[in-house]
Amino acid sequence: MLEVTNSIKKLVKSLSATKNRRELGLFVAEGTKSVGDIAKIFTPKMLIATADWFGENADAARVNCDRYVAKKSDLERMSCLSTATSVIGVFSIPDYDFDLKTCETELVVALDRVQDPGNLGTIIRLCDWFGVKHILASAETVDVWNPKVIQSTMGSIARVKVHYVNLVEVLSSTSAPVYGTFLEGESLYKAPLTETGVIVMGNEGKGISADVARLVTKKILIPTFPEGSTGAESLNVATATAITVSEFRRRQR
Amino acid sequence: MLEVTNSIKKLVKSLSATKNRRELGLFVAEGTKSVGDIAKIFTPKMLIATADWFGENADAARVNCDRYVAKKSDLERMSCLSTATSVIGVFSIPDYDFDLKTCETELVVALDRVQDPGNLGTIIRLCDWFGVKHILASAETVDVWNPKVIQSTMGSIARVKVHYVNLVEVLSSTSAPVYGTFLEGESLYKAPLTETGVIVMGNEGKGISADVARLVTKKILIPTFPEGSTGAESLNVATATAITVSEFRRRQR
């Protein structure tokens, strides 16, 4: 095990920027739970942790990667998050292929310009819970390898694949049903729901863009209670995704 | 209209701390949507905004409160949020009474030590959507008048009442059913659900505390898919609240 160097510190810090992550093909995970879950699927390039952490995590010490010991204060300075951490892992960004047929054989979630890292992370985590293995994301969607996204997936990033695609192209090419939530949609609780297909969720403030909305074949609505009451104007996008995916899965039982 | 003074700037800044909000009985909302929605229900003590904002929001200019014109840069310095704002409103913290009978006549959500302001805000917003008018919160739950909570409710804070109570005392005293999510619970989709009662949601990392868990009369579980699969270990607390409340409301139709 080596002492962490200034160039390693700089490298990790630089990976908080999307541009640098893309150039180097690397991303960062922080904390025992995230690093541990991701390391089960992807081999880390390097682990940087306190001597105590390496002592308590003997498995990690056997992983075939570069290991650096750092002071707690060094880790805090390298961290992109507000919570203190004892371990930082650097991983290669995986290269996933997306097979268009998946939309016809599985339930897929598509995100049209979701901007908030916490929302994307929460959506990945709930997709993992509900067995949704593939998320399509428009190019304008926040970068999934952002440390805040990684953190809020609580390890689920290791099991759910996010594919950045041209959503209009993909949705035009599939024969699968495309669901989207709209104020004029049919009640989610009453609408017929298929076991496979695409559920599109839109931007936090602006919803689904016009180009994508045109390709939605089944408009649905999460009804307020009592039905038709007007208080809240909208639901948070992760909340709406959770309710929608849960209802699809309930019907499948 | 007056020019904003240094003492007003200091006052607003001080209201980012729970202690100061409690002492002064005041809270802050930022942004046109939040301030506008809250001002429909509570009369502001003061509005601080750019001259442009007052020009574009003629209604606000007629509200009977102190109005201060500030530069955009002043507002940014006074803000507790990361997003730029053109208006800050200062409001009195309302004093709500909670009638224990409410648990027998309505659906009530109870939060046991929820810590994240964004989670609390999201829960208030979805309660508003689903017509849940009262939230019980244990004393250790994050302060609802925190600017980050206010912001993430998107105005719903004006319509949903959050009551800080001794949860153990309240839940011991009610004859209403008390629901809580546990790994050994019955499937949410199959369990009998009543139209009234209390749904308890726990802390982000630790779940429902032992003292409160003892008072849960109906243990439920949001099933993974396929049922019994183990990927994600848990759902975000706001996500779990959304799925649970949605299912209660679906049954009531």
Side-chain angles (χ1 to χ4, degrees), chain A residues 33 125 128-129 189 222 227 232-234 246 253, chain B residues 33 125 128 189 222 227 232-234 246 253:
Chain A
K33 162 85 182 141
R125 188 172 167 196
D128 190 20
W129 185 268
Y189 305 135
I222 299 171
E227 209 155 343
E233 281 163 32
S234 64
S246 167
R253 278 159 214 283
Chain B
K33 162 87 181 138
R125 188 173 166 195
D128 190 21
Y189 304 134
I222 300 171
E227 209 156 341
E233 281 164 32
S234 64
S246 168
R253 278 157 216 283

mmCIF file with all atom_site columns, all heavy atoms in Angstrom, chain A residues 33 125 128-129 189 222 227 232-234 246 253, chain B residues 33 125 128 189 222 227 232-234 246 253:
data_model
loop_
_atom_site.group_PDB
_atom_site.id
_atom_site.type_symbol
_atom_site.label_atom_id
_atom_site.label_alt_id
_atom_site.label_comp_id
_atom_site.label_asym_id
_atom_site.label_entity_id
_atom_site.label_seq_id
_atom_site.pdbx_PDB_ins_code
_atom_site.Cartn_x
_atom_site.Cartn_y
_atom_site.Cartn_z
_atom_site.occupancy
_atom_site.B_iso_or_equiv
_atom_site.pdbx_formal_charge
_atom_site.auth_seq_id
_atom_site.auth_comp_id
_atom_site.auth_asym_id
_atom_site.auth_atom_id
_atom_site.pdbx_PDB_model_num
ATOM 1   N N   . LYS A 1 33  ? -20.509 1.680   1.755   1.00 0.00 ? 33  LYS A N   1
ATOM 2   C CA  . LYS A 1 33  ? -21.660 1.022   1.114   1.00 0.00 ? 33  LYS A CA  1
ATOM 3   C C   . LYS A 1 33  ? -21.580 1.146   -0.416  1.00 0.00 ? 33  LYS A C   1
ATOM 4   O O   . LYS A 1 33  ? -21.669 0.143   -1.133  1.00 0.00 ? 33  LYS A O   1
ATOM 5   C CB  . LYS A 1 33  ? -22.946 1.656   1.672   1.00 0.00 ? 33  LYS A CB  1
ATOM 6   C CG  . LYS A 1 33  ? -24.209 1.437   0.869   1.00 0.00 ? 33  LYS A CG  1
ATOM 7   C CD  . LYS A 1 33  ? -24.891 0.136   1.198   1.00 0.00 ? 33  LYS A CD  1
ATOM 8   C CE  . LYS A 1 33  ? -26.126 -0.061  0.336   1.00 0.00 ? 33  LYS A CE  1
ATOM 9   N NZ  . LYS A 1 33  ? -26.286 -1.439  -0.095  1.00 0.00 ? 33  LYS A NZ  1
ATOM 10  N N   . ARG A 1 125 ? -32.210 3.930   -7.855  1.00 0.00 ? 125 ARG A N   1
ATOM 11  C CA  . ARG A 1 125 ? -32.408 3.072   -6.673  1.00 0.00 ? 125 ARG A CA  1
ATOM 12  C C   . ARG A 1 125 ? -33.781 2.396   -6.701  1.00 0.00 ? 125 ARG A C   1
ATOM 13  O O   . ARG A 1 125 ? -33.907 1.211   -6.419  1.00 0.00 ? 125 ARG A O   1
ATOM 14  C CB  . ARG A 1 125 ? -32.264 3.964   -5.431  1.00 0.00 ? 125 ARG A CB  1
ATOM 15  C CG  . ARG A 1 125 ? -32.253 3.243   -4.113  1.00 0.00 ? 125 ARG A CG  1
ATOM 16  C CD  . ARG A 1 125 ? -31.907 4.261   -3.018  1.00 0.00 ? 125 ARG A CD  1
ATOM 17  N NE  . ARG A 1 125 ? -32.163 3.769   -1.686  1.00 0.00 ? 125 ARG A NE  1
ATOM 18  C CZ  . ARG A 1 125 ? -32.240 4.553   -0.605  1.00 0.00 ? 125 ARG A CZ  1
ATOM 19  N NH1 . ARG A 1 125 ? -32.066 5.869   -0.725  1.00 0.00 ? 125 ARG A NH1 1
ATOM 20  N NH2 . ARG A 1 125 ? -32.475 4.050   0.586   1.00 0.00 ? 125 ARG A NH2 1
ATOM 21  N N   . ASP A 1 128 ? -33.945 -0.328  -9.322  1.00 0.00 ? 128 ASP A N   1
ATOM 22  C CA  . ASP A 1 128 ? -33.285 -1.531  -8.806  1.00 0.00 ? 128 ASP A CA  1
ATOM 23  C C   . ASP A 1 128 ? -34.263 -2.320  -7.931  1.00 0.00 ? 128 ASP A C   1
ATOM 24  O O   . ASP A 1 128 ? -34.403 -3.541  -8.063  1.00 0.00 ? 128 ASP A O   1
ATOM 25  C CB  . ASP A 1 128 ? -32.058 -1.095  -7.992  1.00 0.00 ? 128 ASP A CB  1
ATOM 26  C CG  . ASP A 1 128 ? -31.139 -2.242  -7.600  1.00 0.00 ? 128 ASP A CG  1
ATOM 27  O OD1 . ASP A 1 128 ? -31.205 -3.313  -8.242  1.00 0.00 ? 128 ASP A OD1 1
ATOM 28  O OD2 . ASP A 1 128 ? -30.344 -2.071  -6.648  1.00 0.00 ? 128 ASP A OD2 1
ATOM 29  N N   . TRP A 1 129 ? -34.969 -1.616  -7.057  1.00 0.00 ? 129 TRP A N   1
ATOM 30  C CA  . TRP A 1 129 ? -35.959 -2.254  -6.164  1.00 0.00 ? 129 TRP A CA  1
ATOM 31  C C   . TRP A 1 129 ? -37.027 -2.999  -6.972  1.00 0.00 ? 129 TRP A C   1
ATOM 32  O O   . TRP A 1 129 ? -37.413 -4.115  -6.652  1.00 0.00 ? 129 TRP A O   1
ATOM 33  C CB  . TRP A 1 129 ? -36.616 -1.171  -5.290  1.00 0.00 ? 129 TRP A CB  1
ATOM 34  C CG  . TRP A 1 129 ? -37.560 -1.691  -4.249  1.00 0.00 ? 129 TRP A CG  1
ATOM 35  C CD1 . TRP A 1 129 ? -38.911 -1.864  -4.364  1.00 0.00 ? 129 TRP A CD1 1
ATOM 36  C CD2 . TRP A 1 129 ? -37.224 -2.121  -2.924  1.00 0.00 ? 129 TRP A CD2 1
ATOM 37  N NE1 . TRP A 1 129 ? -39.437 -2.345  -3.198  1.00 0.00 ? 129 TRP A NE1 1
ATOM 38  C CE2 . TRP A 1 129 ? -38.420 -2.518  -2.288  1.00 0.00 ? 129 TRP A CE2 1
ATOM 39  C CE3 . TRP A 1 129 ? -36.020 -2.197  -2.193  1.00 0.00 ? 129 TRP A CE3 1
ATOM 40  C CZ2 . TRP A 1 129 ? -38.472 -2.990  -0.980  1.00 0.00 ? 129 TRP A CZ2 1
ATOM 41  C CZ3 . TRP A 1 129 ? -36.066 -2.657  -0.889  1.00 0.00 ? 129 TRP A CZ3 1
ATOM 42  C CH2 . TRP A 1 129 ? -37.270 -3.044  -0.297  1.00 0.00 ? 129 TRP A CH2 1
ATOM 43  N N   . TYR A 1 189 ? -54.432 4.241   -12.147 1.00 0.00 ? 189 TYR A N   1
ATOM 44  C CA  . TYR A 1 189 ? -55.036 3.124   -11.427 1.00 0.00 ? 189 TYR A CA  1
ATOM 45  C C   . TYR A 1 189 ? -56.023 2.336   -12.293 1.00 0.00 ? 189 TYR A C   1
ATOM 46  O O   . TYR A 1 189 ? -56.345 1.202   -11.991 1.00 0.00 ? 189 TYR A O   1
ATOM 47  C CB  . TYR A 1 189 ? -55.747 3.633   -10.172 1.00 0.00 ? 189 TYR A CB  1
ATOM 48  C CG  . TYR A 1 189 ? -54.875 4.457   -9.245  1.00 0.00 ? 189 TYR A CG  1
ATOM 49  C CD1 . TYR A 1 189 ? -55.352 5.644   -8.687  1.00 0.00 ? 189 TYR A CD1 1
ATOM 50  C CD2 . TYR A 1 189 ? -53.587 4.048   -8.905  1.00 0.00 ? 189 TYR A CD2 1
ATOM 51  C CE1 . TYR A 1 189 ? -54.565 6.399   -7.820  1.00 0.00 ? 189 TYR A CE1 1
ATOM 52  C CE2 . TYR A 1 189 ? -52.794 4.801   -8.052  1.00 0.00 ? 189 TYR A CE2 1
ATOM 53  C CZ  . TYR A 1 189 ? -53.283 5.981   -7.514  1.00 0.00 ? 189 TYR A CZ  1
ATOM 54  O OH  . TYR A 1 189 ? -52.509 6.725   -6.665  1.00 0.00 ? 189 TYR A OH  1
ATOM 55  N N   . ILE A 1 222 ? -51.328 10.398  -12.647 1.00 0.00 ? 222 ILE A N   1
ATOM 56  C CA  . ILE A 1 222 ? -51.423 9.971   -11.249 1.00 0.00 ? 222 ILE A CA  1
ATOM 57  C C   . ILE A 1 222 ? -52.507 10.851  -10.623 1.00 0.00 ? 222 ILE A C   1
ATOM 58  O O   . ILE A 1 222 ? -52.321 12.060  -10.498 1.00 0.00 ? 222 ILE A O   1
ATOM 59  C CB  . ILE A 1 222 ? -50.083 10.161  -10.508 1.00 0.00 ? 222 ILE A CB  1
ATOM 60  C CG1 . ILE A 1 222 ? -48.988 9.316   -11.175 1.00 0.00 ? 222 ILE A CG1 1
ATOM 61  C CG2 . ILE A 1 222 ? -50.222 9.803   -9.029  1.00 0.00 ? 222 ILE A CG2 1
ATOM 62  C CD1 . ILE A 1 222 ? -47.581 9.589   -10.666 1.00 0.00 ? 222 ILE A CD1 1
ATOM 63  N N   . GLU A 1 227 ? -60.159 12.843  -6.107  1.00 0.00 ? 227 GLU A N   1
ATOM 64  C CA  . GLU A 1 227 ? -59.878 12.984  -7.535  1.00 0.00 ? 227 GLU A CA  1
ATOM 65  C C   . GLU A 1 227 ? -60.304 14.368  -8.036  1.00 0.00 ? 227 GLU A C   1
ATOM 66  O O   . GLU A 1 227 ? -61.395 14.835  -7.745  1.00 0.00 ? 227 GLU A O   1
ATOM 67  C CB  . GLU A 1 227 ? -60.568 11.881  -8.333  1.00 0.00 ? 227 GLU A CB  1
ATOM 68  C CG  . GLU A 1 227 ? -59.785 11.547  -9.594  1.00 0.00 ? 227 GLU A CG  1
ATOM 69  C CD  . GLU A 1 227 ? -60.032 10.133  -10.112 1.00 0.00 ? 227 GLU A CD  1
ATOM 70  O OE1 . GLU A 1 227 ? -60.538 9.297   -9.359  1.00 0.00 ? 227 GLU A OE1 1
ATOM 71  O OE2 . GLU A 1 227 ? -59.709 9.892   -11.282 1.00 0.00 ? 227 GLU A OE2 1
ATOM 72  N N   . ALA A 1 232 ? -51.308 20.757  -4.740  1.00 0.00 ? 232 ALA A N   1
ATOM 73  C CA  . ALA A 1 232 ? -50.005 20.624  -5.382  1.00 0.00 ? 232 ALA A CA  1
ATOM 74  C C   . ALA A 1 232 ? -50.213 20.617  -6.890  1.00 0.00 ? 232 ALA A C   1
ATOM 75  O O   . ALA A 1 232 ? -51.142 19.988  -7.393  1.00 0.00 ? 232 ALA A O   1
ATOM 76  C CB  . ALA A 1 232 ? -49.349 19.329  -4.929  1.00 0.00 ? 232 ALA A CB  1
ATOM 77  N N   . GLU A 1 233 ? -49.361 21.317  -7.621  1.00 0.00 ? 233 GLU A N   1
ATOM 78  C CA  . GLU A 1 233 ? -49.503 21.360  -9.074  1.00 0.00 ? 233 GLU A CA  1
ATOM 79  C C   . GLU A 1 233 ? -48.806 20.178  -9.740  1.00 0.00 ? 233 GLU A C   1
ATOM 80  O O   . GLU A 1 233 ? -49.076 19.848  -10.880 1.00 0.00 ? 233 GLU A O   1
ATOM 81  C CB  . GLU A 1 233 ? -48.894 22.654  -9.615  1.00 0.00 ? 233 GLU A CB  1
ATOM 82  C CG  . GLU A 1 233 ? -49.824 23.823  -9.431  1.00 0.00 ? 233 GLU A CG  1
ATOM 83  C CD  . GLU A 1 233 ? -49.094 25.137  -9.583  1.00 0.00 ? 233 GLU A CD  1
ATOM 84  O OE1 . GLU A 1 233 ? -48.135 25.205  -10.368 1.00 0.00 ? 233 GLU A OE1 1
ATOM 85  O OE2 . GLU A 1 233 ? -49.485 26.098  -8.889  1.00 0.00 ? 233 GLU A OE2 1
ATOM 86  N N   . SER A 1 234 ? -47.871 19.595  -9.028  1.00 0.00 ? 234 SER A N   1
ATOM 87  C CA  . SER A 1 234 ? -47.108 18.501  -9.621  1.00 0.00 ? 234 SER A CA  1
ATOM 88  C C   . SER A 1 234 ? -46.451 17.700  -8.521  1.00 0.00 ? 234 SER A C   1
ATOM 89  O O   . SER A 1 234 ? -46.454 18.097  -7.364  1.00 0.00 ? 234 SER A O   1
ATOM 90  C CB  . SER A 1 234 ? -46.035 19.070  -10.544 1.00 0.00 ? 234 SER A CB  1
ATOM 91  O OG  . SER A 1 234 ? -45.112 19.821  -9.778  1.00 0.00 ? 234 SER A OG  1
ATOM 92  N N   . SER A 1 246 ? -44.319 1.315   -9.414  1.00 0.00 ? 246 SER A N   1
ATOM 93  C CA  . SER A 1 246 ? -44.943 0.450   -8.413  1.00 0.00 ? 246 SER A CA  1
ATOM 94  C C   . SER A 1 246 ? -46.276 -0.095  -8.934  1.00 0.00 ? 246 SER A C   1
ATOM 95  O O   . SER A 1 246 ? -46.577 -1.282  -8.777  1.00 0.00 ? 246 SER A O   1
ATOM 96  C CB  . SER A 1 246 ? -45.158 1.226   -7.111  1.00 0.00 ? 246 SER A CB  1
ATOM 97  O OG  . SER A 1 246 ? -46.015 0.529   -6.228  1.00 0.00 ? 246 SER A OG  1
ATOM 98  N N   . ARG A 1 253 ? -48.369 -8.972  -10.687 1.00 0.00 ? 253 ARG A N   1
ATOM 99  C CA  . ARG A 1 253 ? -48.342 -10.082 -9.719  1.00 0.00 ? 253 ARG A CA  1
ATOM 100 C C   . ARG A 1 253 ? -49.482 -11.060 -9.929  1.00 0.00 ? 253 ARG A C   1
ATOM 101 O O   . ARG A 1 253 ? -50.564 -10.701 -10.249 1.00 0.00 ? 253 ARG A O   1
ATOM 102 C CB  . ARG A 1 253 ? -48.412 -9.500  -8.303  1.00 0.00 ? 253 ARG A CB  1
ATOM 103 C CG  . ARG A 1 253 ? -47.070 -9.060  -7.865  1.00 0.00 ? 253 ARG A CG  1
ATOM 104 C CD  . ARG A 1 253 ? -47.153 -8.068  -6.753  1.00 0.00 ? 253 ARG A CD  1
ATOM 105 N NE  . ARG A 1 253 ? -46.069 -7.132  -6.909  1.00 0.00 ? 253 ARG A NE  1
ATOM 106 C CZ  . ARG A 1 253 ? -44.815 -7.407  -6.581  1.00 0.00 ? 253 ARG A CZ  1
ATOM 107 N NH1 . ARG A 1 253 ? -44.509 -8.567  -6.064  1.00 0.00 ? 253 ARG A NH1 1
ATOM 108 N NH2 . ARG A 1 253 ? -43.873 -6.505  -6.761  1.00 0.00 ? 253 ARG A NH2 1
ATOM 109 N N   . LYS B 1 33  ? -42.741 31.233  -6.904  1.00 0.00 ? 33  LYS B N   1
ATOM 110 C CA  . LYS B 1 33  ? -43.722 30.163  -6.703  1.00 0.00 ? 33  LYS B CA  1
ATOM 111 C C   . LYS B 1 33  ? -43.962 29.909  -5.201  1.00 0.00 ? 33  LYS B C   1
ATOM 112 O O   . LYS B 1 33  ? -45.113 29.904  -4.741  1.00 0.00 ? 33  LYS B O   1
ATOM 113 C CB  . LYS B 1 33  ? -43.211 28.906  -7.425  1.00 0.00 ? 33  LYS B CB  1
ATOM 114 C CG  . LYS B 1 33  ? -43.839 27.595  -7.017  1.00 0.00 ? 33  LYS B CG  1
ATOM 115 C CD  . LYS B 1 33  ? -45.104 27.291  -7.784  1.00 0.00 ? 33  LYS B CD  1
ATOM 116 C CE  . LYS B 1 33  ? -45.721 25.969  -7.322  1.00 0.00 ? 33  LYS B CE  1
ATOM 117 N NZ  . LYS B 1 33  ? -47.168 26.052  -7.191  1.00 0.00 ? 33  LYS B NZ  1
ATOM 118 N N   . ARG B 1 125 ? -44.975 17.672  -0.174  1.00 0.00 ? 125 ARG B N   1
ATOM 119 C CA  . ARG B 1 125 ? -45.538 17.895  -1.513  1.00 0.00 ? 125 ARG B CA  1
ATOM 120 C C   . ARG B 1 125 ? -46.423 16.732  -1.954  1.00 0.00 ? 125 ARG B C   1
ATOM 121 O O   . ARG B 1 125 ? -47.518 16.927  -2.492  1.00 0.00 ? 125 ARG B O   1
ATOM 122 C CB  . ARG B 1 125 ? -44.360 18.086  -2.484  1.00 0.00 ? 125 ARG B CB  1
ATOM 123 C CG  . ARG B 1 125 ? -44.722 18.517  -3.878  1.00 0.00 ? 125 ARG B CG  1
ATOM 124 C CD  . ARG B 1 125 ? -43.439 18.823  -4.636  1.00 0.00 ? 125 ARG B CD  1
ATOM 125 N NE  . ARG B 1 125 ? -43.621 18.944  -6.064  1.00 0.00 ? 125 ARG B NE  1
ATOM 126 C CZ  . ARG B 1 125 ? -42.620 18.917  -6.956  1.00 0.00 ? 125 ARG B CZ  1
ATOM 127 N NH1 . ARG B 1 125 ? -41.361 18.773  -6.539  1.00 0.00 ? 125 ARG B NH1 1
ATOM 128 N NH2 . ARG B 1 125 ? -42.848 19.047  -8.238  1.00 0.00 ? 125 ARG B NH2 1
ATOM 129 N N   . ASP B 1 128 ? -49.699 16.671  -0.040  1.00 0.00 ? 128 ASP B N   1
ATOM 130 C CA  . ASP B 1 128 ? -50.603 17.675  -0.610  1.00 0.00 ? 128 ASP B CA  1
ATOM 131 C C   . ASP B 1 128 ? -51.320 17.089  -1.833  1.00 0.00 ? 128 ASP B C   1
ATOM 132 O O   . ASP B 1 128 ? -52.543 17.207  -1.981  1.00 0.00 ? 128 ASP B O   1
ATOM 133 C CB  . ASP B 1 128 ? -49.772 18.906  -0.991  1.00 0.00 ? 128 ASP B CB  1
ATOM 134 C CG  . ASP B 1 128 ? -50.627 20.115  -1.377  1.00 0.00 ? 128 ASP B CG  1
ATOM 135 O OD1 . ASP B 1 128 ? -51.812 20.164  -1.000  1.00 0.00 ? 128 ASP B OD1 1
ATOM 136 O OD2 . ASP B 1 128 ? -50.087 21.019  -2.053  1.00 0.00 ? 128 ASP B OD2 1
ATOM 137 N N   . TYR B 1 189 ? -49.557 -4.466  -1.423  1.00 0.00 ? 189 TYR B N   1
ATOM 138 C CA  . TYR B 1 189 ? -50.547 -4.640  -2.477  1.00 0.00 ? 189 TYR B CA  1
ATOM 139 C C   . TYR B 1 189 ? -51.680 -5.574  -2.052  1.00 0.00 ? 189 TYR B C   1
ATOM 140 O O   . TYR B 1 189 ? -52.745 -5.567  -2.656  1.00 0.00 ? 189 TYR B O   1
ATOM 141 C CB  . TYR B 1 189 ? -49.888 -5.193  -3.745  1.00 0.00 ? 189 TYR B CB  1
ATOM 142 C CG  . TYR B 1 189 ? -48.727 -4.357  -4.258  1.00 0.00 ? 189 TYR B CG  1
ATOM 143 C CD1 . TYR B 1 189 ? -47.533 -4.962  -4.650  1.00 0.00 ? 189 TYR B CD1 1
ATOM 144 C CD2 . TYR B 1 189 ? -48.812 -2.970  -4.353  1.00 0.00 ? 189 TYR B CD2 1
ATOM 145 C CE1 . TYR B 1 189 ? -46.467 -4.209  -5.135  1.00 0.00 ? 189 TYR B CE1 1
ATOM 146 C CE2 . TYR B 1 189 ? -47.742 -2.218  -4.828  1.00 0.00 ? 189 TYR B CE2 1
ATOM 147 C CZ  . TYR B 1 189 ? -46.578 -2.837  -5.213  1.00 0.00 ? 189 TYR B CZ  1
ATOM 148 O OH  . TYR B 1 189 ? -45.529 -2.092  -5.691  1.00 0.00 ? 189 TYR B OH  1
ATOM 149 N N   . ILE B 1 222 ? -43.277 -2.966  1.018   1.00 0.00 ? 222 ILE B N   1
ATOM 150 C CA  . ILE B 1 222 ? -43.357 -2.688  -0.422  1.00 0.00 ? 222 ILE B CA  1
ATOM 151 C C   . ILE B 1 222 ? -42.558 -3.794  -1.099  1.00 0.00 ? 222 ILE B C   1
ATOM 152 O O   . ILE B 1 222 ? -41.340 -3.846  -0.946  1.00 0.00 ? 222 ILE B O   1
ATOM 153 C CB  . ILE B 1 222 ? -42.770 -1.297  -0.764  1.00 0.00 ? 222 ILE B CB  1
ATOM 154 C CG1 . ILE B 1 222 ? -43.543 -0.201  -0.028  1.00 0.00 ? 222 ILE B CG1 1
ATOM 155 C CG2 . ILE B 1 222 ? -42.776 -1.064  -2.273  1.00 0.00 ? 222 ILE B CG2 1
ATOM 156 C CD1 . ILE B 1 222 ? -42.910 1.177   -0.120  1.00 0.00 ? 222 ILE B CD1 1
ATOM 157 N N   . GLU B 1 227 ? -40.887 -10.664 -6.860  1.00 0.00 ? 227 GLU B N   1
ATOM 158 C CA  . GLU B 1 227 ? -41.049 -10.712 -5.407  1.00 0.00 ? 227 GLU B CA  1
ATOM 159 C C   . GLU B 1 227 ? -39.921 -11.525 -4.761  1.00 0.00 ? 227 GLU B C   1
ATOM 160 O O   . GLU B 1 227 ? -39.603 -12.612 -5.207  1.00 0.00 ? 227 GLU B O   1
ATOM 161 C CB  . GLU B 1 227 ? -42.430 -11.287 -5.039  1.00 0.00 ? 227 GLU B CB  1
ATOM 162 C CG  . GLU B 1 227 ? -42.909 -10.712 -3.721  1.00 0.00 ? 227 GLU B CG  1
ATOM 163 C CD  . GLU B 1 227 ? -44.437 -10.742 -3.565  1.00 0.00 ? 227 GLU B CD  1
ATOM 164 O OE1 . GLU B 1 227 ? -45.150 -10.873 -4.574  1.00 0.00 ? 227 GLU B OE1 1
ATOM 165 O OE2 . GLU B 1 227 ? -44.887 -10.607 -2.419  1.00 0.00 ? 227 GLU B OE2 1
ATOM 166 N N   . ALA B 1 232 ? -31.465 -3.713  -4.443  1.00 0.00 ? 232 ALA B N   1
ATOM 167 C CA  . ALA B 1 232 ? -31.517 -2.562  -3.547  1.00 0.00 ? 232 ALA B CA  1
ATOM 168 C C   . ALA B 1 232 ? -31.936 -3.053  -2.167  1.00 0.00 ? 232 ALA B C   1
ATOM 169 O O   . ALA B 1 232 ? -32.816 -3.892  -2.038  1.00 0.00 ? 232 ALA B O   1
ATOM 170 C CB  . ALA B 1 232 ? -32.530 -1.565  -4.073  1.00 0.00 ? 232 ALA B CB  1
ATOM 171 N N   . GLU B 1 233 ? -31.295 -2.532  -1.126  1.00 0.00 ? 233 GLU B N   1
ATOM 172 C CA  . GLU B 1 233 ? -31.638 -2.963  0.230   1.00 0.00 ? 233 GLU B CA  1
ATOM 173 C C   . GLU B 1 233 ? -32.799 -2.172  0.799   1.00 0.00 ? 233 GLU B C   1
ATOM 174 O O   . GLU B 1 233 ? -33.437 -2.569  1.759   1.00 0.00 ? 233 GLU B O   1
ATOM 175 C CB  . GLU B 1 233 ? -30.435 -2.787  1.145   1.00 0.00 ? 233 GLU B CB  1
ATOM 176 C CG  . GLU B 1 233 ? -29.437 -3.912  0.975   1.00 0.00 ? 233 GLU B CG  1
ATOM 177 C CD  . GLU B 1 233 ? -28.095 -3.562  1.556   1.00 0.00 ? 233 GLU B CD  1
ATOM 178 O OE1 . GLU B 1 233 ? -28.047 -2.827  2.550   1.00 0.00 ? 233 GLU B OE1 1
ATOM 179 O OE2 . GLU B 1 233 ? -27.083 -4.016  0.991   1.00 0.00 ? 233 GLU B OE2 1
ATOM 180 N N   . SER B 1 234 ? -33.020 -1.007  0.228   1.00 0.00 ? 234 SER B N   1
ATOM 181 C CA  . SER B 1 234 ? -34.082 -0.159  0.767   1.00 0.00 ? 234 SER B CA  1
ATOM 182 C C   . SER B 1 234 ? -34.464 0.870   -0.280  1.00 0.00 ? 234 SER B C   1
ATOM 183 O O   . SER B 1 234 ? -33.806 1.014   -1.306  1.00 0.00 ? 234 SER B O   1
ATOM 184 C CB  . SER B 1 234 ? -33.578 0.561   2.014   1.00 0.00 ? 234 SER B CB  1
ATOM 185 O OG  . SER B 1 234 ? -32.518 1.432   1.660   1.00 0.00 ? 234 SER B OG  1
ATOM 186 N N   . SER B 1 246 ? -49.945 6.388   -2.141  1.00 0.00 ? 246 SER B N   1
ATOM 187 C CA  . SER B 1 246 ? -50.635 6.176   -3.422  1.00 0.00 ? 246 SER B CA  1
ATOM 188 C C   . SER B 1 246 ? -51.511 4.924   -3.357  1.00 0.00 ? 246 SER B C   1
ATOM 189 O O   . SER B 1 246 ? -52.662 4.931   -3.824  1.00 0.00 ? 246 SER B O   1
ATOM 190 C CB  . SER B 1 246 ? -49.608 6.055   -4.551  1.00 0.00 ? 246 SER B CB  1
ATOM 191 O OG  . SER B 1 246 ? -50.203 5.590   -5.740  1.00 0.00 ? 246 SER B OG  1
ATOM 192 N N   . ARG B 1 253 ? -60.771 4.583   -3.947  1.00 0.00 ? 253 ARG B N   1
ATOM 193 C CA  . ARG B 1 253 ? -61.571 5.024   -5.080  1.00 0.00 ? 253 ARG B CA  1
ATOM 194 C C   . ARG B 1 253 ? -62.751 4.097   -5.336  1.00 0.00 ? 253 ARG B C   1
ATOM 195 O O   . ARG B 1 253 ? -62.655 2.928   -5.220  1.00 0.00 ? 253 ARG B O   1
ATOM 196 C CB  . ARG B 1 253 ? -60.696 5.095   -6.334  1.00 0.00 ? 253 ARG B CB  1
ATOM 197 C CG  . ARG B 1 253 ? -59.934 6.372   -6.362  1.00 0.00 ? 253 ARG B CG  1
ATOM 198 C CD  . ARG B 1 253 ? -58.710 6.278   -7.218  1.00 0.00 ? 253 ARG B CD  1
ATOM 199 N NE  . ARG B 1 253 ? -57.655 7.057   -6.611  1.00 0.00 ? 253 ARG B NE  1
ATOM 200 C CZ  . ARG B 1 253 ? -57.606 8.386   -6.675  1.00 0.00 ? 253 ARG B CZ  1
ATOM 201 N NH1 . ARG B 1 253 ? -58.533 9.042   -7.322  1.00 0.00 ? 253 ARG B NH1 1
ATOM 202 N NH2 . ARG B 1 253 ? -56.634 9.036   -6.095  1.00 0.00 ? 253 ARG B NH2 1
#
